[in-house]
Amino acid sequence: KQEQYKEIRDEPAVTLDGQEISLYVNAGLQVDLPHLEEAGAHGIGLFRTELQFMIASTLPSLREQIELYNAVLDAAGDKPAVFRTLDIGGDKMLPYMNLAALKEENPALGWRAIRISLDRPALLRHQLRALLTAAAGRSLRVMFPMVAEVAEYTRARALVDKELARLDKFGKPRPASIEIGTMLEVPSLAWQLDTLLPLVDFVSIGSNDLLQFLFASDRGNPRVATRYDLLSPAVLSFLRHIVAKCEAHNTPLTLCGEMSGRPLEAMALLGVGLRRVSMSPAAIGPVKMMLRSLDATKLGAFMEGLYGLPDRSVRAHLAAFAEEHGV
Ligand code: PEP
Ligand code: MG
């Protein structure tokens, strides 16, 4: 199998019916960067910036952040790289930040990610400064984690504008282009898309969080984490709603949660209309192999019959489709 994955590494990621699929890798540390080339991916769909903060013993300095972001942009070259701003809190604690002192009953629903960034804007501004500096003269793509309402996105984006004004004030070069987007990983945001989408350059679905909130089922608790099948009418209908809204607004949409790295799940994602997925580098080969043998139009039509199923048979139906069509 590994040999076969290598063989198709430089082949196009196109389905049998001619749909071009963008395959991106998730990354977070310098050591991840060579995987982009090795996997033959189209770019970095999710760069988890908090990892640098989590392995450090003190808050990374502006210079240390710039160095890492520079390395990411160098590794990406002409390919896109999407930086996600700090996603800390919840289960991602920084011992030196004194957040650990905060005991929360429900950390996943607590003071985390964009909520911390907006309440402690100096931290986010510092990070944005590093990103804008590293991307001078190049393309910068940034997104925010755990946005639950449009106003949070707007406030975070305003901090980017403030940092841009600061660059100008000091006569420092700007990035050649800037795209700002948001993760969609809190279900409430899915019901504000008509308001949100005109304000963003792209959206990326964080299915790990989105689906734990959708099912009210802790992704880190082994007793319930796998209780609900992601290949279910609820998930597929929800994703279809998001895809339709993004298509109507012409907003690029990616999914960067773990489910995109499993071939059958990835197949279902293409069936609901996603055309960009981001995953761990090792999953690129298997997913590419799958999609190159898939007729996505045929699958889309087949899946029309799955959204209303009253039982847990979606996975079996999808597996049968894959088997029957040699996917
Ligand atoms: C997600 O929630 O799906 C996601 C990609 O972010 P993380 O796994 O880092 O929470
Ligand atoms: Mg998440």
Side-chain angles (χ1 to χ4, degrees), residues 46 48 50 84 87 92 112 183 185 205-210 219 256-258:
L46 166 66
R48 293 180 162 108
E50 65 276 6
R84 174 177 73 189
D87 183 8
K92 297 168 180 165
R112 55 176 290 208
M183 291 196 71
E185 48 184 354
I205 299 174
S207 56
N208 305 337
D209 276 310
L210 185 70
R219 66 191 256 196
C256 63
E258 301 305 324

Side-chain angles (χ1 to χ4, degrees), residues 78-199:
D78 293 335
K79 297 172 176 168
V82 181
F83 293 92
R84 174 177 73 189
T85 64
L86 276 183
D87 183 8
I88 50 172
D91 54 344
K92 297 168 180 165
M93 281 300 179
L94 306 182
Y96 49 87
M97 256 190 71
N98 216 9
L99 295 175
L102 276 164
K103 271 258 166 275
E104 294 186 306
E105 287 249 341
N106 293 298
L109 309 179
W111 197 51
R112 55 176 290 208
I114 194 69
R115 301 170 183 177
I116 296 183
S117 293
L118 292 175
D119 294 354
R120 297 274 186 278
L123 193 62
L124 179 58
R125 285 192 65 169
H126 207 240
Q127 182 176 39
L128 292 170
R129 198 170 300 164
L131 286 165
L132 290 166
T133 308
R138 309 195 257 192
S139 299
L140 178 63
R141 295 174 177 83
V142 178
M143 64 184 176
F144 306 110
M146 286 292 292
V147 171
E149 55 176 15
V150 176
E152 286 178 332
Y153 170 76
T154 320
R155 284 174 63 200
R157 186 166 187 146
L159 296 179
V160 179
D161 291 330
K162 276 198 174 159
E163 284 303 318
L164 273 173
R166 191 177 176 279
L167 280 187
D168 296 346
K169 193 172 118 195
F170 290 102
K172 300 220 173 113
R174 284 180 170 222
S177 66
I178 303 181
E179 289 175 32
I180 310 286
T182 181
M183 291 196 71
L184 200 174
E185 48 184 354
V186 182
S188 57
L189 199 61
W191 307 106
Q192 302 163 70
L193 292 174
D194 287 328
T195 317
L196 174 78
L197 295 181
L199 307 174

Side-chain angles (χ1 to χ4, degrees), residues 306-317:
L306 306 185
Y307 294 99
L309 288 174
D311 50 26
R312 291 185 151 191
S313 60
V314 170
R315 179 174 294 274
H317 283 294

